Amino acid sequence: MASTRQQSLQETFDKRDLPVFPGRAVVTAGMPYGNKGLHFGHIGGVFVPADFYARFLRDLIGPENVLFVSGTDCYGSPILEGYRKEQESGFTGTLTQYITNNHIKQREALKSFAISCDIFSGSALEPAATIHQDLSDNVVQALFENKCLQKRSTLQFYDTEAHTYLNGRQVQGFCPIRGCKSEKAYADECDLGHQFDPQDLIKPISQLTGTIPELRPVENWYFDLPSCEHYLQELNNAWEEDAQIRAVVTKTLKEWLVPPLLYIKNELREDVEALKGQLPHCTMHDASRSAQSFSVEFKTWQDRDAARTVLEQSSIRYRAGKCLLPFRISGNIEWGVRAPELDGTQGLTLWCWPESLWAPISFSQTLLEKAPEVAAQGDTLNTDNPIDSDRRFSSRDWRDWWCGDDEAVFALIPKDTHTQSASNPLSQNPHSGNKSSEAHSNASAQQAQTRAQVFQFIGQDNIYFYCIAQPAIWHALQWNLYPDTPVANYHLLFMNKKASSSGAIRPPAADQLLNSYTAEALRYHWLSFALSEKPASFAPKAFDTSISATNKETGKEILVKDDPRVADPALKENAFLANVFNRLARSCFYGAQNALAGRAPQKEPSCALQELGQNAAFEYLCAMHEVNLHTALAIAEDFGREANKRWDAQSKAARMAGDDEAYEQALADAFYALHILALCFHGATPLGCEKIREYTDISREVFWNWDTIGCSITQLLEKDGKDFSIHVFKTLPPKTDFFKKA
């Protein structure tokens, strides 16, 4: 169901076939661990694209119909390990205080980059903590009742010198997955996101004592992910036909939707053939081309595990391939979401990854039920749309945003036909989480008929969790949760190398960057990278310590950051903002002040410019529908450059001819173009665009509204209830910039 705004927008574009956007949307940004602040990769790779899209959707379908949720991931071994190291450095606070400090740092970093989350909470911090615990209880209990959990005795690393079990980050070795070259793998996953069993980790070392840990059996709950293979294959087939799903998502899924394989060196082929009678039924495949290993294919992961035992007893080394394995749900580290007692198990906590997959739901629930508390705590970053009003959101029931009635896979049907009925069986489901407020306005009740589309912005490393584990869990819960639109970005590199806070290449923190660049310049630069298609390197000159040249007179090396001859790659896109866009905005206000006493030009935009603007806006919307953010901005930038050229030619000709009417026409065209440009760039560079709106003295509700994309400046004023014949724009002081040269 298209929103009222979209129906009006369709009238603006007349016979053009506009893409259909959802009537309601949830936007999520991958949650950072609570063991540190944020570096540029967190912000530029995930939060800025998510913020751009959330702001765009607010302008398109109304802020009451958009939730932008994220928060600090407070549980898991990275937090425990970070806290341990902090204590070694003299920190005397509690674990909760440690996490709270990092949460505040993350929140402030996001604020400094104008990230407008409606909620940025913490999974272990109130007011979200209790709701997250309750939802976690409900999820795990439902999975158990639906017979989707298995209790398995598996091996966990134990440090015999420290006399303790080791959490995931307290063990490091080499990744065992064939083809992966990561030398930074933890107990059951590497830093590139590959999952494996602890016993497969190569050369494990305890980070507590530096000794080789031993493996001891422990009992935990696992989700039966392999049983969902057919469902995931159907989902991936549908995603391949969906223009909103990026190729990196479907490519990654295909890598996991394969039979269980073991890879063994070619020279051991005869030894393996001799053991074939002891192995479960399998098929051996010759090595392809110049590969050094042949593969052995099994029907099930259990068969592969049995074969591994046989091979190990014969001292035959192997490497495992990717395939679907049981997904761990619980763990036995003390710091974690408490697991419900099931089938006699007690004292377990949830592994941080599964509970983080439904944390966006618990954050949504927290926002909708406890908006004033969220605002009071400072965990809302959306300053343009206050959340302490009962009418801020079109529905205050989280189910209206996340759940639907359709029994079919959501991705297999058109998104705009998905509805939520009043008789949703989820409302009677005892495992559906806490009930929210029953108060709904008539308008909210009508809007609640359209289920939201969920756009989950994630990094490439997290595709396994959000595009494999999460959809399978949603399917198994039978809560009418559906996989929607994962928006996965490739890696944002630093100086052509993968950046990690715990790696050799230390990326700059957010506050460090802002000492050399404006937030707007960096936002636009990161958005231009086309991370939807390929990895890209962030190489800000101010932090580039590579050698540029040698001073011929002194013989001293000149670093790139100190070489005035080297252009700064991070400022490439800012040239458009600080020159073209800035100049068009200044020309509008200074022109109106000098020629029209600060009033709006009282002429309609020229037909030629209206056609140009309509074409650009239509192409922009098509690109945004496919979440091609860099393409959308390129379209808007081309329009801005052309509009600026037209202003130059028109205003110069009018001044030379002394033609006041022609100059007023040029101003009418310029203001028309400025509104389109500001609306297109509002999500990408919100601070400068909001400053433009402020000087027009037009309300946000009118100016930031795609319904008004075809309006002249006088029509905008009329829609805002102002008399355009006497309205005076806010006076722009001399030499005022909307976008600064960083």
Side-chain angles (χ1 to χ4, degrees):
M1 179 188 296
S3 68
T4 304
R5 282 193 177 198
Q6 290 183 71
Q7 292 168 357
S8 177
L9 185 63
Q10 181 64 69
E11 295 173 5
T12 301
F13 287 97
D14 195 15
K15 297 180 181 180
R16 294 175 188 256
D17 188 15
L18 274 176
V20 177
F21 289 86
R24 181 185 288 122
V26 178
V27 177
T28 77
M31 301 191 303
Y33 280 127
N35 61 337
K36 62 175 75 77
L38 301 180
H39 64 67
F40 82 91
H42 296 125
I43 296 177
V46 176
F47 277 98
V48 167
D51 185 63
F52 179 10
Y53 210 67
R55 288 178 182 272
F56 161 73
L57 288 172
R58 289 181 188 126
D59 295 345
L60 183 72
I61 62 178
E64 71 279 7
N65 294 317
V66 179
L67 297 184
F68 180 17
V69 302
S70 186
T72 301
D73 191 353
C74 298
Y75 295 108
S77 56
I79 285 84
L80 281 178
E81 185 63 7
Y83 179 57
R84 182 183 69 81
K85 291 179 179 179
E86 194 79 357
Q87 287 179 306
E88 289 178 352
S89 300
F91 182 71
T92 59
T94 65
L95 180 54
T96 301
Q97 289 170 334
Y98 167 72
I99 294 169
T100 301
N101 292 343
N102 288 323
H103 169 70
I104 293 172
K105 289 178 185 177
Q106 293 176 358
R107 189 177 68 195
E108 293 307 306
L110 294 175
K111 281 183 182 179
S112 67
F113 280 90
I115 305 300
S116 62
C117 295
D118 291 307
I119 181 172
F120 184 79
S121 191
S123 53
L125 306 176
E126 295 296 351
T130 301
I131 289 176
H132 185 59
Q133 176 67 67
D134 291 344
L135 181 63
S136 298
D137 287 343
N138 293 330
V139 169
V140 176
Q141 185 71 38
L143 291 175
F144 177 75
E145 292 180 359
N146 293 343
K147 304 186 186 308
C148 299
L149 296 185
Q150 304 166 341
K151 185 162 57 174
R152 296 179 60 210
S153 178
T154 56
L155 298 175
Q156 184 171 338
F157 286 107
Y158 184 86
D159 190 317
T160 56
E161 186 173 308
H163 304 292
T164 184
Y165 281 102
L166 300 175
N167 64 50
R169 291 297 174 107
Q170 290 175 332
V171 182
Q172 282 194 24
F174 296 169
C175 181
I177 295 296
R178 180 177 180 268
C180 182
K181 297 180 180 180
S182 173
E183 296 183 2
K184 193 170 186 181
Y186 306 108
D188 51 12
E189 66 171 317
C190 75
D191 61 347
L192 297 179
H194 294 141
Q195 301 289 298
F196 46 82
D197 289 327
Q199 62 264 34
D200 292 337
L201 181 65
I202 299 172
K203 297 182 179 179
I205 296 293
S206 168
Q207 299 303 291
L208 294 184
T209 62
T211 60
I212 299 175
E214 66 179 39
L215 287 163
R216 294 187 177 182
V218 294
E219 278 197 336
N220 271 303
W221 289 103
Y222 285 76
F223 171 67
D224 188 7
L225 186 58
S227 69
C228 301
E229 182 175 359
H230 178 70
Y231 167 76
L232 290 171
Q233 186 62 64
E234 286 189 338
L235 177 62
N236 200 41
N237 292 341
W239 274 351
E240 286 185 320
E241 301 299 319
D242 190 336
Q244 292 184 315
I245 307 299
R246 296 173 174 175
V248 65
V249 171
T250 54
K251 177 179 178 292
T252 302
L253 258 69
K254 283 182 177 179
E255 293 174 356
W256 290 94
L257 299 176
V258 294
L261 295 171
L262 293 177
Y263 294 88
I264 304 171
K265 292 288 187 182
N266 290 331
E267 57 264 30
L268 298 174
R269 180 69 178 259
E270 289 186 6
D271 296 336
V272 177
E273 292 279 5
L275 294 172
K276 198 166 184 179
Q278 302 176 45
L279 298 174
H281 178 75
C282 59
T283 303
M284 296 190 187
H285 302 286
D286 293 337
S288 58
R289 297 181 182 177
S290 60
Q292 297 179 348
S293 300
F294 69 96
S295 62
V296 186
E297 178 181 330
F298 301 90
K299 286 187 176 181
T300 67
W301 65 270
Q302 294 97 328
D303 286 347
R304 188 177 74 172
D305 271 9
R308 287 158 61 166
T309 301
V310 174
L311 295 173
E312 288 165 2
Q313 289 172 348
S314 299
S315 299
I316 294 177
R317 296 186 63 183
Y318 59 83
R319 296 195 81 169
K322 297 178 182 177
C323 72
L324 298 181
L325 294 171
F327 185 65
R328 183 156 62 93
I329 293 295
S330 68
N332 55 5
I333 65 172
E334 184 177 349
W335 178 249
V337 176
R338 183 187 66 256
E341 296 183 4
L342 304 172
D343 194 26
T345 60
Q346 295 181 347
L348 296 179
T349 54
L350 299 184
W351 184 37
C352 63
W353 259 115
E355 52 92 2
S356 70
L357 296 178
W358 54 77
I361 296 179
S362 61
F363 289 157
S364 300
Q365 193 176 353
T366 302
L367 174 65
L368 296 169
E369 295 182 9
K370 299 179 179 291
E373 292 179 44
V374 173
Q377 184 138 323
D379 281 346
T380 177
L381 309 182
N382 182 4
T383 56
D384 289 345
N385 308 109
I387 66 170
D388 53 357
S389 166
D390 285 341
R391 293 182 293 177
R392 166 62 175 85
F393 301 110
S394 56
S395 171
R396 301 188 75 84
D397 189 332
W398 72 268
R399 301 168 189 80
D400 291 339
W401 297 83
W402 284 88
C403 304
D405 279 342
D406 305 72
E407 295 180 0
V409 177
F410 179 66
L412 301 179
I413 60 177
K415 293 185 171 75
D416 56 307
T417 64
H418 215 69
T419 58
Q420 165 79 22
S421 74
S423 58
N424 185 353
L426 184 62
S427 60
Q428 285 83 45
N429 191 329
H431 309 301
S432 61
N434 293 342
K435 292 186 177 181
S436 61
S437 170
E438 297 179 359
H440 294 274
S441 66
N442 291 334
S444 296
Q446 292 174 1
Q447 185 62 44
Q449 297 304 307
T450 303
R451 175 191 178 274
Q453 184 175 351
V454 181
F455 298 88
Q456 298 193 96
F457 285 77
I458 58 174
Q460 182 182 357
D461 292 352
N462 294 339
I463 291 176
Y464 175 86
F465 299 104
Y466 284 93
C467 305
I468 296 177
Q470 188 193 67
I473 291 173
W474 277 194
H475 181 66
L477 279 173
Q478 300 178 26
W479 282 6
N480 299 330
L481 289 163
Y482 297 91
D484 279 337
T485 310
V487 186
N489 280 337
Y490 281 95
H491 295 304
L492 183 54
L493 309 175
F494 183 62
M495 303 298 179
N496 288 312
K497 295 184 179 180
K498 186 181 179 184
S500 171
S501 300
S502 55
I505 305 298
R506 295 297 179 93
D511 55 353
Q512 289 178 290
L513 286 171
L514 294 178
N515 292 330
S516 303
Y517 304 96
T518 66
E520 304 265 81
L522 291 172
R523 284 175 65 108
Y524 192 15
H525 182 55
W526 290 327
L527 288 167
S528 73
F529 277 146
L531 293 174
S532 59
E533 301 172 2
K534 61 186 185 304
S537 180
F538 178 48
K541 180 182 176 182
F543 294 83
D544 193 341
T545 56
S546 62
I547 299 171
S548 172
T550 301
N551 189 307
K552 294 181 180 179
E553 296 180 0
T554 64
K556 291 184 178 181
E557 295 174 337
I558 302 173
L559 302 182
V560 169
K561 69 185 185 71
D562 300 322
D563 193 339
R565 300 168 301 174
V566 178
D568 193 337
L571 293 179
K572 179 182 177 183
E573 293 74 24
N574 197 57
F576 170 78
L577 298 178
N579 297 328
V580 179
F581 198 173
N582 199 49
R583 185 170 183 273
L584 183 63
R586 285 163 53 120
S587 297
C588 284
F589 292 107
Y590 289 146
Q593 287 171 197
N594 295 333
L596 303 174
R599 291 192 292 274
Q602 320 245 321
K603 291 183 177 292
E604 287 299 304
S606 65
C607 293
L609 184 63
Q610 288 190 53
E611 183 178 0
L612 186 71
Q614 191 173 83
N615 288 339
F618 176 78
E619 292 176 6
Y620 177 94
L621 286 170
C622 290
M624 291 299 283
H625 182 263
E626 296 187 3
V627 205
N628 286 336
L629 308 184
H630 64 286
T631 301
L633 289 176
I635 291 166
E637 183 174 318
D638 286 345
F639 170 72
R641 292 184 185 279
E642 180 60 28
N644 201 52
K645 288 179 184 177
R646 286 172 176 261
W647 159 256
D648 282 346
Q650 286 179 277
S651 60
K652 182 178 180 181
R655 286 195 302 269
M656 290 182 66
D659 189 337
D660 292 343
E661 288 201 10
Y663 189 79
E664 187 174 1
Q665 182 64 58
L667 276 174
D669 284 5
F671 269 107
Y672 176 81
L674 181 64
H675 178 236
I676 292 177
L677 196 60
L679 199 50
C680 289
F681 268 87
H682 183 216
T685 55
L687 302 177
C689 291
E690 175 60 17
K691 189 173 181 180
I692 290 171
R693 183 204 65 79
E694 288 175 357
Y695 275 92
T696 65
D697 196 23
I698 297 173
S699 68
R700 290 190 178 98
E701 291 74 18
V702 171
F703 201 85
W704 304 130
N705 187 331
W706 274 84
D707 273 3
T708 65
I709 191 67
C711 292
S712 65
I713 188 65
T714 54
Q715 289 171 327
L716 288 173
L717 289 166
E718 279 186 314
K719 285 180 177 290
D720 203 31
K722 294 179 170 63
D723 186 343
F724 63 81
S725 64
I726 61 173
H727 177 78
V728 177
F729 297 129
K730 184 179 177 182
T731 300
L732 186 68
K735 299 181 179 180
T736 298
D737 286 322
F738 294 92
F739 301 96
K740 296 181 179 180
K741 293 183 179 180

